[in-house]
Amino acid sequence: MGMMKAWVLAHQAPIGMNPLEKVNLEMPEPGRGEIRIKVVACGVCRTDIHIAEGDLPLKKSPLVLGHEIVGVVDKVGEGVTRFRPGVRVGVAWLNAACGTCKFCRSGRENLCPEARFTGWDVNGGFAEYTVVHEDFAFPLGDKLSFEALAPMMCPGIAGYRCYRLSGVAEGEILGLYGYGPTASYVLQVAHAKGVKAFVVTRSEANQQAAREMEADWVGGPGDSLPDKMDAAIIFPPAGNLVEKVLANLQRGGRLVLSPVTMTPITIADYNHIWMERSIISLANISRRDGVEFLHLAERAGFKSRFETFGFDDLPEVMIRVKDGKVKGNAVIWID
Ligand SMILES: [Zn+2]
Ligand SMILES: [Zn+2]
């Protein structure tokens, strides 16, 4: 059996203490229904940092992080029908779901209590090879580069789910609070579907990036909006934004909270949530989100904002991601 290079997390520690270690691991063999992927690139997500630092519990050790995986099928296990060696493939956060619980049966596998996640419950993409069940891998077209596709596997698909949860329809206005990689994909989805996007962000650089993507209005948190919004999505974990955003929603408007954690939320004035305004949080992604988003991204030629780094740079890159010093999404090139 061959060996491969991988970055593993053995113990959780602050990212500045370099908790990742580069090691040689046995190359994984694809089991029944599984495919082995030669990883070409893997994006770095804030969730990787949350796992490395202990904000999320460690479920296995040593663990290979990384769930924005793109590459080429290298070997298929027994019974595989959807893939053959040599085709382009992607793997995202949802690695497995039970298929039988009430959430799975009602199209909400993202809420499955038995769900497993890439780079958390099972080894992820910061390695030369990874394996996944064929049912949880996404075929990729030829139109977009691997580097552009990597960030689509998490911010892209999660952004698409946020968009779906917002419930906006053609001709309506969607507000985006914060403008990182996820918001940039939501903006592109909105435009592809005839929805206007207002972007509110403090950062000058992000305001500029939103203008370059032709956001319909861009401003800072102190600016007054040109119109009420039909729905909005908050990306930073700032609970104090919630009431302010609700106050700018149309009646019946929906507010989506994208973060995994949030500072305390208070709604002091009932008028801001009355008239059937509602709040919903995002949790994980489903395969449907991935299939629909990747189709749309390929068809419409979505743009990704990313910086590419080498395999050996990963520990340094994680520090830069944590400090917000990467322009767009960090992508590790593994080839
Ligand atoms: Zn992620
Ligand atoms: Zn389930």
Side-chain angles (χ1 to χ4, degrees):
M1 212 176 279
M3 302 295 280
M4 67 169 185
K5 280 180 281 179
W7 283 103
V8 297
L9 177 73
H11 309 284
Q12 293 173 313
I15 216 73
M17 291 175 69
N18 288 327
L20 298 186
E21 199 186 334
K22 196 176 163 196
V23 298
N24 288 310
L25 292 182
E26 258 182 27
M27 253 164 83
E29 282 297 315
R32 190 175 169 78
E34 291 181 337
I35 58 174
R36 183 167 72 193
I37 297 165
K38 169 83 185 80
V39 182
V40 174
C42 185
V44 180
C45 178
R46 270 185 188 274
T47 303
D48 296 318
I49 294 165
H50 289 310
I51 297 167
E53 295 199 316
D55 301 324
L56 291 167
L58 191 60
K59 295 184 176 185
K60 77 183 277 289
S61 173
L63 167 71
V64 179
L65 295 164
H67 57 268
E68 301 178 3
I69 303 171
V70 291
V72 174
V73 176
D74 163 70
K75 187 175 179 184
V76 299
E78 211 183 310
V80 166
T81 57
R82 295 179 62 222
F83 293 91
R84 56 186 165 74
V87 301
R88 284 154 59 102
V89 62
V91 182
W93 176 239
L94 185 69
N95 195 276
C98 80
T100 55
C101 72
K102 71 168 183 173
F103 300 103
C104 283
R105 282 187 283 115
S106 59
R108 295 177 293 165
E109 63 186 9
N110 59 304
L111 301 180
C112 174
E114 304 295 319
R116 285 184 288 143
F117 301 101
T118 310
W120 191 23
D121 295 283
V122 298
N123 281 347
F126 296 128
E128 291 179 289
Y129 295 87
T130 193
V131 293
V132 66
H133 195 282
E134 65 166 341
D135 290 349
F136 286 83
F138 298 101
L140 301 175
D142 290 328
K143 201 167 150 188
L144 302 167
S145 73
F146 279 123
E147 286 157 299
L149 281 161
M152 290 186 181
M153 301 312 298
C154 186
I157 298 173
Y160 183 77
R161 184 165 187 87
C162 286
Y163 177 88
R164 276 180 67 202
L165 291 173
S166 79
V168 280
E170 191 175 348
E172 292 192 327
I173 299 170
L174 175 63
L176 306 175
Y177 286 76
Y179 192 78
T182 310
S184 82
Y185 291 119
V186 181
L187 192 157
Q188 294 176 81
V189 171
H191 281 176
K193 294 186 178 282
V195 168
K196 281 187 184 155
F198 289 179
V199 173
V200 181
T201 175
R202 197 180 302 275
S203 147
E204 285 286 336
N206 287 343
Q207 287 188 5
Q208 188 51 38
R211 280 190 201 98
E212 282 163 18
M213 290 303 286
E214 293 171 12
D216 298 274
W217 180 83
V218 180
D223 299 332
S224 52
L225 297 166
D227 209 342
K228 291 258 189 211
M229 304 170 293
D230 297 285
I233 306 167
I234 295 180
F235 295 98
N240 63 330
L241 276 177
V242 170
E243 186 162 20
K244 289 177 194 156
V245 179
L246 282 172
N248 283 305
L249 286 189
Q250 284 276 14
R251 48 183 62 193
R254 204 184 262 202
L255 171 57
V256 180
L257 307 181
S258 167
V260 175
T261 60
M262 198 89 173
T263 56
I265 296 167
T266 35
I267 295 165
D269 184 346
Y270 183 64
N271 284 306
H272 291 152
I273 194 161
W274 191 47
M275 281 290 164
E276 299 192 347
R277 292 177 183 87
S278 61
I279 302 174
I280 187 168
S281 64
L282 169 81
N284 308 318
I285 53 150
S286 70
R287 281 173 283 176
R288 178 188 158 187
D289 299 316
V291 168
E292 290 183 2
F293 173 75
L294 291 167
H295 265 258
L296 189 60
E298 163 122 331
R299 203 179 68 218
F302 283 179
K303 290 188 176 68
S304 295
R305 198 162 155 249
F306 57 87
E307 275 189 73
T308 307
F309 302 90
F311 190 53
D312 290 341
D313 300 330
L314 181 61
E316 175 62 26
V317 171
M318 291 190 81
I319 294 169
R320 289 179 62 170
V321 169
K322 188 178 183 191
D323 295 344
K325 286 182 180 153
V326 178
K327 292 187 197 82
N329 203 110
V331 173
I332 301 295
W333 189 259
I334 294 173
D335 221 2

